[in-house]
Amino acid sequence: MRAIWKGAVSFGLVNVPVRLYSATENHDVQFRQVHREDGGRIKYKRTCSIDGEEVSYDDIAKGYETEDGDMVVLTDDDFADLPSKSSKEIGVTKFVPADQVDPMWLDKSYYLEPDKSATKPYILLRDALVKEKRMAIVTVSIRTRMTMAVLRVRDGVIVMQTMLWPDEIRAADFATVTDEHATKQEMDMAKMLIDQLAGDYDPGEYEDDYALAVKELVRAKVEGGEVRVSAAEPEESGEVVDLLAALARSVEKAKASRGEAPAAAKSSSGGSGAKAVTKKTAAKKTTAKKSTAKKPAAKKAEKKAS
């Protein structure tokens, strides 16, 4: 495994340097959307819902939609002022009984591995959690955002599980759920059924039969020659146009920041009525014409001198 984060668990005056590893991985079967006729991948363009134009990544910002449907555009400066931390400390705030932590509050799981020099305090924390039957409520900063988490012990290793915030847990407001209870006869029948199906949980008894069936289906198709080799995708010429347009917009923004008038404003103030040149290629052609126009004048000067 590869460590994704390095820091230290801190409780009291004890500091335990640790490395963080993702404890889970997703094995869901992944499909791609393709053209039924030739197996080519389906691509989607980033277009603006207002003007319909394709938008480059540089012009994409984060927007927050209000309850009224209005959009508030947030800039990098706005996010810079938000409370965020990049601390490398897993700070223990409280040790609570393990049965007080509802599993619904738990989110992602990570393994904590101690540095070689911190094995002893790591074992101390691990054994104390097991003996006292408690979990440690901690705060940790992952990807600059502070979040809550718990430390618990699983198979002799300290596991950190991030927690959902209280307002992220939805209430079960069901009209069909009442305060009524089952009768004694119904409970006796239910107990008989539970006793018949009672047993210990063994994860090895279960498997993802859907994923296995899909993989077997794909393997059979490959062996049967039902594979479509995708042709080399041609380079998109439209991307070049977008790049030139983005460069032109960047030039205009730079001019505006220096207090210079935009190209369109200059052309209108000159009274010539000529269209503003927005592409660098057009600018180069104009410069080339000017340079060639000067050459005949130079030749006439040479003839007069002779």
Side-chain angles (χ1 to χ4, degrees):
M1 291 192 294
R2 189 174 184 178
I4 61 175
W5 186 89
K6 290 183 180 181
V9 178
S10 176
F11 60 104
L13 299 177
V14 181
N15 192 272
V16 188
V18 294
R19 289 180 292 275
L20 198 71
Y21 299 86
S22 180
T24 60
E25 55 186 358
N26 190 348
H27 284 170
D28 285 346
V29 179
Q30 301 295 326
F31 297 102
R32 295 186 181 275
Q33 290 187 322
V34 297
H35 187 195
R36 189 189 304 275
E37 300 299 327
D38 53 21
R41 295 181 183 180
I42 304 300
K43 292 186 176 182
Y44 296 92
K45 292 185 177 182
R46 304 173 299 276
T47 57
C48 176
S49 60
I50 297 177
D51 56 25
E53 292 185 2
E54 188 172 357
V55 182
S56 65
Y57 280 112
D58 293 338
D59 291 330
I60 295 179
K62 290 183 173 66
Y64 183 90
E65 188 172 2
T66 65
E67 295 181 356
D68 298 332
D70 296 331
M71 193 65 64
V72 179
V73 179
L74 302 175
T75 65
D76 292 339
D77 293 336
D78 295 327
F79 284 101
D81 296 333
L82 294 179
S84 63
K85 297 182 180 179
S86 57
S87 172
K88 291 296 184 180
E89 180 183 74
I90 301 175
V92 177
T93 61
K94 192 181 292 186
F95 291 99
V96 302
D99 58 2
Q100 288 186 0
V101 179
D102 190 329
M104 185 176 285
W105 298 340
L106 303 179
D107 195 10
K108 296 182 180 179
S109 302
Y110 303 91
Y111 289 127
L112 294 184
E113 179 192 27
D115 285 352
K116 292 182 179 180
S117 61
T119 303
K120 198 165 185 179
Y122 180 94
I123 293 175
L124 172 62
L125 176 60
R126 181 197 65 186
D127 293 350
L129 289 174
V130 173
K131 183 177 181 181
E132 298 299 325
K133 296 181 180 179
R134 289 181 178 268
M135 292 184 182
I137 303 296
V138 303
T139 55
V140 60
S141 177
I142 300 179
R143 298 182 182 89
T144 72
R145 183 178 177 182
M146 188 65 69
T147 185
M148 294 179 61
V150 298
L151 300 184
R152 66 183 184 86
V153 179
R154 181 180 185 274
D155 296 335
V157 177
I158 297 179
V159 175
M160 184 182 80
Q161 287 186 265
T162 56
M163 302 178 68
L164 300 172
W165 296 104
D167 60 355
E168 293 179 310
I169 305 297
R170 302 173 64 184
D173 294 331
F174 302 136
T176 55
V177 178
T178 64
D179 294 333
E180 296 180 8
H181 296 282
T183 63
K184 182 181 182 304
Q185 184 178 4
E186 292 171 338
M187 287 297 297
D188 291 340
M189 294 294 294
K191 184 179 182 306
M192 290 177 56
L193 177 60
I194 291 174
D195 290 340
Q196 290 178 357
L197 299 177
D200 296 325
Y201 174 65
D202 180 7
E205 294 179 354
Y206 303 90
E207 61 183 11
D208 189 351
D209 55 352
Y210 177 79
L212 293 175
V214 170
K215 291 178 181 179
E216 180 60 26
L217 174 63
V218 172
R219 186 191 64 80
K221 283 184 172 290
V222 170
E223 292 181 352
E226 297 184 49
V227 178
R228 295 181 181 179
V229 180
S230 299
E233 298 180 358
E235 296 183 0
E236 296 183 359
S237 58
E239 194 66 27
V240 178
V241 176
D242 292 341
L243 176 59
L244 292 174
L247 289 173
R249 288 194 297 269
S250 300
V251 171
E252 294 299 329
K253 288 180 181 178
K255 288 182 178 180
S257 64
R258 294 196 299 266
E260 297 181 14
K266 287 183 178 180
S267 61
S268 59
S269 62
S272 61
K275 293 184 178 179
V277 180
T278 56
K279 293 185 179 179
K280 286 188 175 181
T281 52
K284 288 182 178 179
K285 289 180 180 179
T286 305
T287 306
K289 288 180 180 180
K290 288 182 179 180
S291 61
T292 53
K294 290 180 179 180
K295 288 182 180 179
K299 288 183 179 180
K300 288 181 180 180
E302 290 176 3
K303 288 181 179 180
K304 287 182 179 181
S306 60

XYZ file of all heavy atoms in Angstrom, residues 93-151:
478
model
N -9.759 14.930 20.893
C -10.530 15.860 21.711
C -11.258 15.170 22.858
O -11.534 15.799 23.887
C -11.570 16.606 20.854
O -12.477 15.648 20.274
C -10.877 17.384 19.739
N -11.571 13.884 22.676
C -12.326 13.182 23.716
C -12.266 11.668 23.472
O -12.220 11.218 22.332
C -13.789 13.648 23.695
C -14.624 13.214 24.885
C -16.060 13.724 24.744
C -16.113 15.236 24.857
N -17.516 15.732 24.867
N -12.273 10.894 24.574
C -12.395 9.439 24.491
C -13.811 9.074 24.940
O -14.191 9.354 26.079
C -11.359 8.746 25.386
C -9.944 8.894 24.893
C -9.109 9.855 25.438
C -9.446 8.068 23.894
C -7.804 10.003 24.989
C -8.138 8.205 23.442
C -7.322 9.175 23.994
N -14.588 8.453 24.050
C -15.991 8.163 24.350
C -16.237 6.657 24.305
O -15.495 5.917 23.641
C -16.924 8.874 23.349
C -16.703 10.372 23.375
C -16.727 8.327 21.941
N -17.282 6.178 25.011
C -17.631 4.760 24.916
C -17.932 4.372 23.473
O -18.608 5.112 22.751
C -18.878 4.641 25.803
C -18.752 5.779 26.768
C -18.107 6.883 26.005
N -17.429 3.208 23.060
C -17.565 2.789 21.663
C -19.017 2.653 21.237
O -19.357 2.905 20.074
C -16.824 1.469 21.447
N -19.912 2.287 22.175
C -21.308 2.075 21.792
C -22.077 3.378 21.614
O -23.242 3.370 21.229
C -22.006 1.179 22.825
C -21.955 1.762 24.239
O -21.419 2.886 24.407
O -22.429 1.092 25.174
N -21.437 4.523 21.897
C -22.106 5.807 21.694
C -21.966 6.328 20.266
O -22.637 7.284 19.887
C -21.545 6.847 22.673
C -21.968 6.635 24.111
C -21.507 7.769 25.019
O -20.861 8.709 24.566
N -21.855 7.677 26.299
N -21.096 5.715 19.484
C -20.858 6.174 18.112
C -21.740 5.362 17.164
O -21.510 4.158 16.956
C -19.379 6.036 17.716
C -19.170 6.499 16.277
C -18.499 6.837 18.668
N -22.730 6.005 16.603
C -23.640 5.350 15.659
C -22.895 5.069 14.357
O -22.283 5.975 13.791
C -24.833 6.262 15.391
C -25.954 5.569 14.622
O -25.637 4.667 13.815
O -27.120 5.936 14.822
N -22.928 3.830 13.850
C -22.242 3.515 12.585
C -22.677 4.395 11.420
O -21.918 4.579 10.469
C -22.624 2.049 12.340
C -22.915 1.495 13.697
C -23.533 2.637 14.456
N -23.882 4.958 11.480
C -24.352 5.811 10.386
C -23.515 7.079 10.275
O -23.442 7.686 9.210
C -25.825 6.166 10.584
C -26.436 6.954 9.433
S -28.196 7.264 9.629
C -28.859 5.649 9.258
N -22.884 7.507 11.364
C -22.075 8.722 11.332
C -20.731 8.508 10.645
O -20.056 9.469 10.299
C -21.823 9.223 12.758
C -23.068 9.602 13.503
C -24.285 9.905 12.961
C -23.228 9.699 14.919
N -25.204 10.191 13.946
C -24.583 10.072 15.169
C -22.388 9.511 16.004
C -25.079 10.263 16.450
C -22.880 9.709 17.285
C -24.211 10.076 17.502
N -20.324 7.251 10.474
C -18.989 6.951 9.963
C -18.968 7.000 8.440
O -19.924 6.603 7.772
C -18.529 5.581 10.459
C -18.522 5.416 11.984
C -18.070 4.018 12.366
C -17.639 6.469 12.643
N -17.845 7.460 7.897
C -17.727 7.633 6.450
C -16.573 6.790 5.912
O -16.662 5.576 5.865
C -17.543 9.115 6.128
C -17.762 9.438 4.657
O -18.244 8.559 3.926
O -17.460 10.562 4.238
N -15.455 7.412 5.548
C -14.333 6.701 4.940
C -13.375 6.155 5.995
O -13.194 6.758 7.054
C -13.581 7.624 3.980
C -14.419 8.071 2.798
C -13.612 8.952 1.857
C -14.463 9.387 0.672
N -13.712 10.261 -0.255
N -12.738 5.022 5.664
C -11.858 4.341 6.612
C -10.405 4.394 6.146
O -10.117 4.251 4.954
C -12.282 2.870 6.765
O -13.627 2.783 7.194
N -9.510 4.588 7.125
C -8.072 4.650 6.850
C -7.315 3.875 7.926
O -7.714 3.867 9.092
C -7.573 6.103 6.847
C -8.278 7.007 5.862
C -9.405 7.731 6.242
C -7.824 7.143 4.552
C -10.061 8.559 5.351
C -8.473 7.965 3.645
C -9.585 8.674 4.051
O -10.239 9.493 3.167
N -6.225 3.224 7.525
C -5.333 2.571 8.474
C -4.264 3.564 8.918
O -3.782 4.373 8.115
C -4.645 1.359 7.846
C -5.555 0.169 7.597
C -5.632 -0.416 6.332
C -6.316 -0.376 8.628
C -6.458 -1.508 6.110
C -7.150 -1.458 8.410
C -7.210 -2.022 7.141
O -8.027 -3.100 6.913
N -3.881 3.492 10.186
C -2.794 4.307 10.704
C -1.601 3.402 11.007
O -1.724 2.451 11.779
C -3.215 5.049 11.975
C -4.310 6.113 11.837
C -4.531 6.812 13.165
C -3.949 7.122 10.767
N -0.471 3.701 10.386
C 0.758 2.946 10.640
C 1.750 3.857 11.358
O 1.985 4.990 10.916
C 1.376 2.461 9.326
C 2.670 1.696 9.533
C 3.430 1.480 8.233
O 3.285 2.295 7.306
O 4.191 0.491 8.156
N 2.355 3.382 12.457
C 3.288 4.253 13.176
C 4.662 4.263 12.520
O 5.052 3.308 11.833
C 3.358 3.602 14.563
C 3.149 2.146 14.278
C 2.180 2.085 13.123
N 5.391 5.358 12.713
C 6.803 5.367 12.352
C 7.537 4.380 13.257
O 7.065 4.047 14.351
C 7.394 6.773 12.521
C 6.953 7.710 11.403
O 6.332 7.223 10.443
O 7.216 8.919 11.513
N 8.691 3.923 12.813
C 9.458 2.949 13.600
C 9.796 3.502 14.985
O 9.840 2.756 15.963
C 10.728 2.576 12.847
C 10.465 1.772 11.582
C 11.768 1.378 10.898
C 11.491 0.562 9.649
N 12.744 0.168 8.952
N 10.034 4.819 15.056
C 10.389 5.417 16.339
C 9.186 5.622 17.252
O 9.348 5.983 18.428
C 11.082 6.772 16.100
O 10.199 7.652 15.413
N 7.976 5.405 16.725
C 6.765 5.676 17.503
C 5.942 4.421 17.757
O 4.752 4.516 18.076
C 5.916 6.714 16.779
N 6.559 3.272 17.656
C 5.822 2.018 17.845
C 5.269 1.888 19.256
O 4.122 1.465 19.451
C 6.722 0.814 17.527
O 7.210 0.926 16.196
C 5.944 -0.485 17.659
N 6.075 2.267 20.248
C 5.659 2.087 21.639
C 4.448 2.937 21.996
O 3.457 2.414 22.535
C 6.833 2.406 22.571
C 6.657 1.838 23.964
C 7.960 1.843 24.735
C 7.792 1.153 26.077
N 9.073 1.125 26.826
N 4.436 4.248 21.728
C 3.222 5.026 22.036
C 2.018 4.608 21.196
O 0.875 4.727 21.647
C 3.634 6.469 21.747
C 4.822 6.375 20.863
C 5.525 5.121 21.258
N 2.257 4.110 19.994
C 1.161 3.611 19.147
C 0.496 2.409 19.821
O -0.741 2.329 19.896
C 1.712 3.217 17.777
C 0.690 2.690 16.788
C 0.071 3.530 15.871
C 0.357 1.336 16.748
C -0.851 3.045 14.954
C -0.557 0.836 15.836
C -1.161 1.693 14.939
O -2.074 1.201 14.034
N 1.321 1.476 20.312
C 0.792 0.286 20.989
C 0.061 0.690 22.263
O -0.977 0.109 22.611
C 1.935 -0.703 21.288
C 2.490 -1.271 19.971
C 1.458 -1.830 22.192
C 3.705 -2.161 20.153
N 0.588 1.698 22.957
C -0.065 2.169 24.172
C -1.462 2.686 23.877
O -2.431 2.330 24.570
C 0.778 3.274 24.808
C 0.148 4.025 25.988
C -0.112 3.067 27.144
C 1.024 5.185 26.422
N -1.598 3.507 22.862
C -2.908 4.035 22.489
C -3.831 2.919 22.033
O -5.008 2.875 22.422
C -2.754 5.082 21.390
C -4.041 5.666 20.807
C -4.868 6.353 21.885
C -3.741 6.631 19.672
N -3.327 2.013 21.221
C -4.149 0.888 20.717
C -4.686 0.041 21.855
O -5.893 -0.245 21.925
C -3.302 0.030 19.775
C -4.052 -1.151 19.168
C -3.076 -2.170 18.610
N -2.264 -2.771 19.678
C -1.251 -3.613 19.450
N -0.910 -3.923 18.204
N -0.582 -4.128 20.466
N -3.812 -0.377 22.755
C -4.226 -1.254 23.848
C -5.169 -0.542 24.814
O -6.094 -1.156 25.373
C -2.995 -1.776 24.607
C -2.158 -2.715 23.751
O -2.630 -3.100 22.665
O -1.031 -3.051 24.174
N -4.952 0.759 25.026
C -5.825 1.512 25.929
C -7.234 1.603 25.360
O -8.224 1.488 26.099
C -5.244 2.901 26.164
N -7.350 1.816 24.044
C -8.673 1.883 23.421
C -9.412 0.556 23.560
O -10.624 0.521 23.827
C -8.538 2.257 21.937
C -8.114 3.699 21.629
C -7.874 3.863 20.125
C -9.145 4.701 22.115
N -8.687 -0.551 23.389
C -9.312 -1.869 23.478
C -9.740 -2.173 24.909
O -10.869 -2.612 25.156
C -8.343 -2.957 22.971
C -8.924 -4.349 23.221
C -8.067 -2.774 21.489
N -8.850 -1.925 25.856
C -9.149 -2.264 27.242
C -10.295 -1.440 27.786
O -11.170 -1.943 28.506
C -7.907 -2.055 28.103
C -8.110 -2.467 29.564
C -6.837 -2.317 30.366
C -7.058 -2.748 31.814
N -5.825 -2.602 32.642
N -10.329 -0.145 27.460
C -11.367 0.737 27.983
C -12.640 0.714 27.146
O -13.628 1.384 27.490
C -10.839 2.175 28.067
C -9.652 2.347 29.002
C -9.983 1.985 30.434
O -11.124 2.236 30.860
O -9.100 1.430 31.124
N -12.610 -0.016 26.026
C -13.766 -0.115 25.122
C -14.246 1.278 24.704
O -15.437 1.611 24.796
C -14.911 -0.895 25.772
C -14.566 -2.336 26.068
C -15.731 -3.086 26.693
C -15.371 -4.531 26.983
N -16.488 -5.263 27.624
N -13.298 2.073 24.247
C -13.602 3.437 23.854
C -13.077 3.744 22.453
O -12.233 3.027 21.931
C -13.012 4.439 24.853
C -13.718 4.439 26.197
C -13.139 5.446 27.150
N -13.877 5.450 28.415
C -14.911 6.246 28.688
N -15.311 7.122 27.774
N -15.541 6.182 29.844
N -13.631 4.801 21.889
C -13.135 5.369 20.637
C -12.629 6.775 20.922
O -13.126 7.445 21.842
C -14.228 5.418 19.561
C -14.689 4.083 19.046
S -15.883 4.293 17.695
C -16.292 2.579 17.336
N -11.669 7.219 20.138
C -11.149 8.569 20.286
C -11.797 9.475 19.249
O -11.738 9.191 18.050
C -9.631 8.577 20.130
N -12.447 10.542 19.700
C -12.982 11.543 18.788
C -11.842 12.509 18.455
O -11.217 13.077 19.359
C -14.145 12.325 19.419
C -15.262 11.356 19.859
C -14.699 13.347 18.427
C -15.916 10.606 18.731
N -11.558 12.676 17.161
C -10.421 13.493 16.750
C -10.851 14.497 15.690
O -11.913 14.363 15.074
C -9.277 12.616 16.191
C -8.833 11.583 17.212
C -9.697 11.926 14.885
N -10.017 15.496 15.496
C -10.164 16.417 14.368
C -8.930 16.253 13.498
O -7.810 16.086 13.995
C -10.278 17.874 14.837
O -9.145 18.205 15.654
C -11.556 18.080 15.630
N -9.132 16.294 12.192
C -8.029 16.097 11.252
C -8.287 16.923 10.004
O -9.440 17.133 9.607
C -7.872 14.596 10.897
C -9.137 14.052 10.254
C -6.665 14.362 9.996
N -7.230 17.403 9.406
C -7.340 18.194 8.183
C -6.889 17.345 7.006
O -5.722 16.985 6.888
C -6.470 19.454 8.281
O -6.526 20.177 7.076
N -7.843 17.006 6.148
C -7.551 16.233 4.940
C -7.956 17.083 3.741
O -9.097 17.518 3.638
C -8.309 14.895 4.923
C -7.908 14.051 6.136
C -8.022 14.123 3.634
C -8.631 12.717 6.222
N -6.990 17.319 2.840
C -7.218 18.177 1.671
C -7.703 19.573 2.100
O -8.668 20.101 1.562
C -8.206 17.532 0.695
C -7.712 16.205 0.133
C -8.703 15.639 -0.874
N -8.262 14.360 -1.388
C -8.548 13.184 -0.837
N -9.289 13.156 0.265
N -8.111 12.060 -1.360
N -7.042 20.135 3.086
C -7.220 21.497 3.595
C -8.534 21.719 4.346
O -8.731 22.780 4.918
C -7.142 22.552 2.478
O -8.321 22.483 1.665
C -5.906 22.356 1.613
N -9.422 20.753 4.382
C -10.678 20.953 5.087
C -10.697 20.145 6.380
O -10.451 18.941 6.371
C -11.859 20.544 4.203
C -13.207 20.799 4.869
C -14.370 20.437 3.974
N -15.637 20.637 4.663
C -16.828 20.356 4.135
N -16.900 19.893 2.909
N -17.934 20.552 4.819
N -10.981 20.832 7.492
C -11.026 20.176 8.787
C -12.282 19.330 8.893
O -13.370 19.748 8.498
C -11.006 21.223 9.898
C -10.865 20.626 11.300
S -9.271 19.801 11.548
C -8.160 21.212 11.530
N -12.121 18.117 9.441
C -13.259 17.224 9.603
C -13.111 16.455 10.902
O -12.030 16.390 11.494
C -13.365 16.246 8.417
O -14.557 15.470 8.544
C -12.180 15.291 8.389
N -14.197 15.862 11.335
C -14.179 15.026 12.533
C -13.969 13.574 12.136
O -14.293 13.157 11.023
C -15.492 15.174 13.304
C -15.724 16.545 13.885
S -17.311 16.628 14.747
C -17.079 15.383 16.023
N -13.406 12.790 13.059
C -13.158 11.377 12.799
C -13.075 10.639 14.130
O -13.044 11.254 15.201
C -11.871 11.193 11.994
N -13.072 9.328 14.059
C -12.881 8.503 15.254
C -11.692 7.585 15.037
O -11.386 7.203 13.894
C -14.131 7.656 15.586
C -15.315 8.538 15.896
C -14.455 6.681 14.452
N -11.021 7.262 16.123
C -9.968 6.243 16.100
C -10.495 5.032 16.842
O -10.979 5.129 17.967
C -8.693 6.756 16.776
C -8.025 8.007 16.198
C -6.731 8.306 16.950
C -7.763 7.855 14.711
